[in-house]
Amino acid sequence: MIRIISDYSMKKLIAFNWKMYPKKAADIEGLLLAFDDANIDTDRYEIAIAPPAVYLPMIADIFYEVKADISLAMQNCAWQSEGALTGEISAEMGKNVGADYAIIGHSERRMHLGETDEVVNKKVKAAMGARLGVILCVGEPIEVRKQGIVVVKKYIKRQIDGALHAIEPSSYRGIELCIAYEPIWAIGTGKAATPEDAVEVIAFIRSILNTNYGIPTARILYGGSVNAKNVTLFVEHDGIDGALVGGASINKKELKSILKTLHS
Ligand code: PGA
């Protein structure tokens, strides 16, 4: 489904990044049970699940059957639309099995799978070419954070400029670009940034998108150790448009508690 930006940008986006979990497909239904009586305020929140790609068709079928108002995201996509690229999955393939978004440039892929800004740029273009919404991840390592906010902003600007290089402003029409600010030192560490720290960088990202790219409406999320205890601090904050939740979203109890905070 192609998201019309004006429909969705008003809602906070809570995206669940399941990383390389669950190990068994049989465990998916258990996780999805958390949504059963969650009574999410869907006027206010858009929920997206980013499972490993092999599970996308199965989850899309379940959502279709129960008419769930939940979006689906790929965790990655190939930078080409087709070709001899053993093991890769194109954005179009993801879209054809039900994905609405592609997460691009997650720090785990940048760190462990060698994704450079140039690769991220190609993947953003590939996802947009397949008319998937993009959730572009940016965030600084601890060594950069230690050098202070000016250096952090410089680092983030380089990542954004790299990712959005040579994309015509008209390409964004009808395709949603979201940014997830995920400081690397906060991912999987249990040490989330403070909402104030997150907002400072998010406001900076907003200003770059507006001034340099003519994108005033992008949703900018926070990610990094978001859990049931702190999720409202981020998603209820006026300056933050949602959250990208990793580890906590693959724990049934925690997922249920997070969803409870989003009830209508
Ligand atoms: P975390 O991961 O919530 O486990 O810190 C966030 C992410 O990787 O997107």
Side-chain angles (χ1 to χ4, degrees):
M1 191 193 313
I2 296 170
R3 300 303 193 191
I4 307 301
I5 292 179
S6 55
D7 282 347
Y8 273 81
S9 59
M10 301 307 288
K11 296 188 188 188
K12 302 261 179 168
L13 174 60
I14 322 297
F16 297 122
N17 173 14
W18 282 359
K19 308 196 182 200
M20 212 163 71
Y21 295 99
K23 286 202 257 179
K24 293 186 207 137
D27 292 335
I28 287 175
E29 290 207 26
L31 279 168
L32 294 182
L33 278 180
F35 290 84
D36 265 8
D37 38 36
N39 196 19
I40 294 161
D41 183 351
T42 48
D43 289 337
R44 200 163 146 60
Y45 302 109
E46 178 191 355
I47 305 293
I49 297 180
V54 284
Y55 300 144
L56 278 169
M58 170 188 170
I59 299 177
D61 282 352
I62 295 173
F63 286 174
Y64 183 78
E65 262 172 45
V66 302
K67 298 192 177 64
D69 193 5
I70 299 173
S71 303
L72 274 175
M74 303 175 78
Q75 295 179 6
N76 173 43
C77 70
W79 65 67
Q80 276 180 218
S81 58
E82 61 182 306
L85 279 173
T86 303
E88 287 296 274
I89 298 169
S90 74
E92 190 182 345
M93 289 170 184
K95 188 172 176 67
N96 287 342
V97 296
D100 306 288
Y101 296 96
I103 296 175
I104 307 286
H106 192 281
S107 61
E108 286 154 10
R109 298 198 59 85
R110 293 181 192 253
M111 270 189 304
H112 306 305
L113 296 151
E115 282 195 5
T116 59
D117 286 335
E118 198 188 347
V119 169
V120 170
N121 178 238
K122 286 194 207 170
K123 291 188 173 187
V124 169
K125 288 175 181 159
M128 288 175 62
R131 307 199 65 74
L132 281 178
V134 171
I135 302 173
L136 169 68
C137 299
V138 297
E140 79 286 357
I142 189 68
E143 308 80 62
V144 170
R145 174 54 64 164
K146 280 184 180 156
Q147 293 174 61
I149 190 68
V150 174
V151 183
V152 170
K153 287 181 177 172
K154 220 170 153 184
Y155 188 93
I156 300 291
K157 182 170 185 306
R158 198 210 72 220
Q159 286 188 317
I160 291 182
D161 289 343
L164 304 185
H165 176 70
I167 298 177
E168 287 296 313
S170 60
S171 317
Y172 297 110
R173 234 170 267 149
I175 297 173
E176 189 176 1
L177 171 73
C178 303
I179 310 275
Y181 169 55
E182 298 205 300
I184 295 173
W185 44 269
I187 296 181
T189 59
K191 290 187 193 135
T194 62
E196 294 69 32
D197 280 344
V199 164
E200 182 166 23
V201 178
I202 286 173
F204 173 69
I205 295 171
R206 215 180 287 291
S207 75
I208 300 178
L209 291 181
N210 197 4
T211 314
N212 300 1
Y213 293 94
I215 309 171
T217 55
R219 286 187 289 187
I220 309 180
L221 322 178
Y222 167 76
S225 295
V226 175
N227 55 36
K229 279 208 188 97
N230 63 19
V231 63
T232 42
L233 295 178
F234 295 104
V235 303
E236 293 298 316
H237 199 295
D238 280 350
I240 304 177
D241 304 316
L244 182 54
V245 186
S249 69
I250 32 191
N251 172 317
K252 266 189 251 173
K253 230 176 115 199
E254 195 70 16
L255 177 60
K256 207 175 164 112
S257 306
I258 291 174
L259 294 174
K260 257 196 197 146
T261 68
L262 310 175
H263 65 82
S264 51

